[in-house]
Each structure stands twice: as C-alpha cells, then as structure tokens.
Amino acid sequence: MAGIQAQFHIDWPGFTLDVNLDLPARGVTALFGHSGSGKTTLLRCVAGLQRAPQGRLVVNGDVWQDDGHWLPTHKRPLGYVFQEASLFAHLTVLGNLRYGMRRVAAAQQASLDQAIALLGIDALLARKPEHLSGGERQRVSIARALALSPRILLMDEPLAALDLKRKQEILPYLERLHRELDVPVLYVSHAPDEVARLADHIVAMEGGRAIATGPLRDTLARLDLPIRLGEDVGVVLQARVAERDAHWHLARVDFPGGSLWVRDGGHALGSPVRVRILARDVSIALHPVLDTSILNCLSATVDQLAADEHPALALLRLQVGASPLIARLTQRSACELGLQPGSKVWVQIKAVALIG
C-alpha cells in the first residue's frame, strides 16, 4: 500500500502525543504548528529516535513498527536533516558525503553525483565545513541525507538556524528537490513562508494532536478550522505563467478557474508558480466594478459563511471555478449584500503574493 500510515501515542507529564495519519507517498507534507505542538516529537517517532510503545508505522507497505515489530533507526531507510548541519569538521564536503553512505549497500546507493547536482555543491567538495556559509552547510547536510537512497526524507526545521539572506539562498534548492524527488518528504516548520512555498500536504499540529490534515489548498480553505499561515488566513493556489507585461513589470498567471495579474518575478512563460491570497486582500461585489485601481476582478460563487474571531467579522469561502478563496468582511456587509451559499458575486483581489 503506497503512502505512510503513522499512528503514535505517548503520555508524558504535561504533554501527550496522539496522532493517526495517512500521508501521501510523494511530495512534501508539512508538519506545521507552534513550538511545543508535537511536530518534532512526531518526526522522531517516524525516525525511531523516540520510541512510542503504542505505535504503528507503515511506509509504502513495509511495517517499520507495530505491536510485535520494531525496526531500529539505523535499519530504517530514511534520511534525516536537522536544524544544524552537524558536519564532521575534520572531513571535506566530499568526505562528509561519503561517510554518510557507509551504511548503504553498494547496490542501493543513490548516485552521489545526482545529490551533488541537485544541491549545487560541486564547487564545494574540497572545502572543510569551517569554510562554508550556513546555507552551504545545510545544502551539504541535505545532500548527505539523499545519498542514503532514503525511502522517506525527514527535515526538522532545516532553515531555522539561517538568517533571511541564507534562507532565500537555499529555498530554490528545496523547491528543486520538491520537483525532482520521487520520495515523500516530512517537513517540520512553524514558518508560514516555507510551508506556502514547499508543501503539497499539511498536518496542522496543536497540543500533540493533528487538528487538520489534507492537501494544502483545500485544508487552508477550511472555515471550520481556519489555519493561519502567518498574519492571516488565506489560500495557496498552483498557477502557471501565461503572459508577461514588460512595460508594467507584471505577469499574468493562470490557475484552475481564472487568471491573475501579479508582480513579475522573472519566471519564464509556462513556468509553474504558486500564489498566496490572504482573506484580507479579497473584497466582494454583486456586480463587476469599473474604474478601480484593482486589476483582478473574477466571477465567483459563495460556498460557505462562518463567524470569524471577532463578532463583527465573517469569513466567506468562495469558489472561482475549481479553486477556493477566502474573504473576510463584516457581518453587516454580508447581511446587506444578502450573501448566502450559492450567491453569485464578483471578487476583487487587492494584492497577490507570488511565492515561487
């Protein structure tokens, strides 16, 4: 059976981990939540670094743990990337990579050249760790994990120790891994921008439990449990660059249901991109609005209304073709517009963040 089935229960004084998850066999699954929500504990259980007596773990049909079986960490075909790179100071980059491959049978070894190329570290192979930047060290750490031919890649906040400049340096390499890797990735993070850029699937953790799980687009659009990726609720849509307006430095991106004008990020025509649309940046009208500064005006259908955190506000889930959006408006506006499920409206999107 393809995919990951992870069921763990741990009781500690002041903390309980209790999860039962079915995760996809491919793509990036983000374990997202505040510090102390159980993300790293769950990851350590998958790795076998934390033993959960009441647990079951099946990876693509192979049982790694159940009531009568326990596969120790060193026998689990996984790669683990920690917050700190933890490279051997006395070895070169190439020496660190080769050291990590010692426990992999020769017939199962991934192409070391492929890992080096994916992370763009071929020019660093002769250097010692002390001569690498933080971002370079973490790229070497990821390449070392990939060299083990892992069946699953575990990443525990790999960018948390980096400053903003180094994060921006390494994110394109993580996006490349996302596109080209054929193994599932469990990615622990509490950083909204990383989740929005990289995740296909999300597990929202709180108090040791998974309070929501599913595809990123659909899970972020839930109104029964709105997930804040940072400062506001919103959605992340997969799109493709369809047109570029060089004069105004804009690009038109198409998504299932419509198109949007965004700031030109330099992507080639046809390139896949993601756009993040926050609820606060979506307004509602009953008719198309003319003579406005807002470039994006799309036809939509009201799908659901729900109360927001403040009694004056409401959250509105809309469908634009096959794609969901969330808007925030006052309860008064929703009443005066007569909004209800099935209402046909026009949405104006005031700002769209192109996130890669």
Side-chain angles (χ1 to χ4, degrees):
M1 180 179 179
I4 303 165
Q5 292 79 51
Q7 183 176 354
F8 300 110
H9 183 87
I10 299 175
D11 271 320
W12 291 329
F15 178 78
T16 298
L17 178 72
D18 189 9
V19 295
N20 188 352
L21 300 169
D22 285 302
L23 304 176
R26 195 178 189 281
V28 176
T29 295
L31 307 181
F32 178 74
H34 297 295
S35 296
S37 61
K39 306 182 302 295
T40 294
T41 302
L42 172 55
L43 205 70
R44 288 174 59 83
C45 286
V46 173
L49 296 172
Q50 176 64 57
R51 189 152 190 168
Q54 301 177 53
R56 175 175 170 80
L57 178 64
V58 181
V59 178
N60 292 331
D62 293 335
V63 178
W64 291 11
Q65 176 186 352
D66 62 14
D67 290 340
H69 178 68
W70 169 266
L71 196 65
T73 300
H74 69 276
K75 291 187 176 180
R76 298 188 181 194
L78 58 84
Y80 203 125
V81 181
F82 298 88
Q83 290 185 24
E84 299 289 345
S86 301
L87 303 177
F88 293 111
H90 66 288
L91 297 178
T92 64
V93 167
L94 184 58
N96 271 277
L97 295 175
R98 286 178 172 165
Y99 186 91
M101 296 176 67
R102 289 184 179 182
R103 70 178 176 90
V104 183
Q108 297 176 316
Q109 288 184 1
S111 167
L112 188 57
D113 290 342
Q114 181 184 24
I116 291 169
L118 277 173
L119 276 302
I121 59 172
D122 51 309
L124 310 177
L125 297 179
R127 295 188 195 175
K128 294 284 185 69
E130 63 181 348
H131 298 300
L132 302 176
S133 70
E136 289 170 340
R137 284 195 296 270
Q138 199 62 305
R139 282 155 57 196
V140 173
S141 178
I142 297 169
R144 182 175 58 184
L146 290 178
L148 298 175
S149 297
R151 297 275 301 282
I152 182 173
L153 182 62
L154 310 179
M155 307 185 80
D156 189 0
E157 303 206 54
L159 307 186
L162 304 178
D163 59 28
L164 180 60
K165 181 178 179 181
R166 299 306 178 195
K167 285 184 180 182
Q168 296 305 316
E169 167 193 314
I170 200 172
L171 271 168
Y173 292 99
L174 294 181
E175 289 174 325
R176 185 175 182 184
L177 294 182
H178 171 258
R179 292 193 302 269
E180 300 187 24
L181 276 185
D182 196 28
V183 298
V185 179
L186 296 188
Y187 190 98
V188 167
S189 180
H190 65 271
D193 57 331
E194 295 173 33
V195 174
R197 285 185 69 164
L198 300 173
D200 305 293
H201 195 91
I202 187 171
V203 177
M205 299 287 294
E206 184 177 294
R209 290 172 170 78
I211 60 171
T213 180
L216 181 70
R217 188 195 72 172
D218 298 334
T219 307
L220 292 183
R222 285 177 54 178
L223 295 191
D224 60 327
L225 193 66
I227 299 171
R228 290 179 177 268
L229 273 190
E231 66 271 32
D232 201 359
V233 297
V235 299
V236 175
L237 301 180
Q238 295 282 357
R240 192 167 295 275
V241 179
E243 182 182 352
R244 299 177 71 185
D245 186 333
H247 179 75
W248 297 113
H249 307 285
L250 296 170
R252 179 172 60 85
V253 299
D254 291 346
F255 65 93
S259 62
L260 297 163
W261 284 100
V262 301
R263 288 175 295 179
D264 188 359
H267 298 80
L269 291 178
S271 298
V273 293
R274 293 185 178 200
V275 290
R276 185 178 177 196
I277 305 172
L278 299 179
R280 69 185 186 199
D281 293 327
V282 180
S283 63
I284 308 297
L286 297 182
H287 306 283
V289 180
L290 303 177
D291 300 323
T292 174
S293 63
I294 300 173
L295 291 178
N296 300 306
C297 186
L298 302 170
S299 176
T301 302
V302 175
D303 183 51
Q304 185 182 357
L305 290 93
D308 201 1
E309 293 179 343
H310 192 281
L313 301 176
L315 290 176
L316 192 67
R317 177 184 159 114
L318 306 125
Q319 284 296 133
V320 180
S323 299
L325 290 180
I326 296 179
R328 174 178 283 108
L329 68 167
T330 64
Q331 294 277 8
R332 176 179 172 178
S333 293
C335 180
E336 291 182 350
L337 292 174
L339 299 179
Q340 58 185 349
S343 296
K344 302 298 182 181
V345 297
W346 291 84
V347 295
Q348 295 187 104
I349 301 175
K350 294 178 281 188
V352 178
L354 180 65
I355 57 176

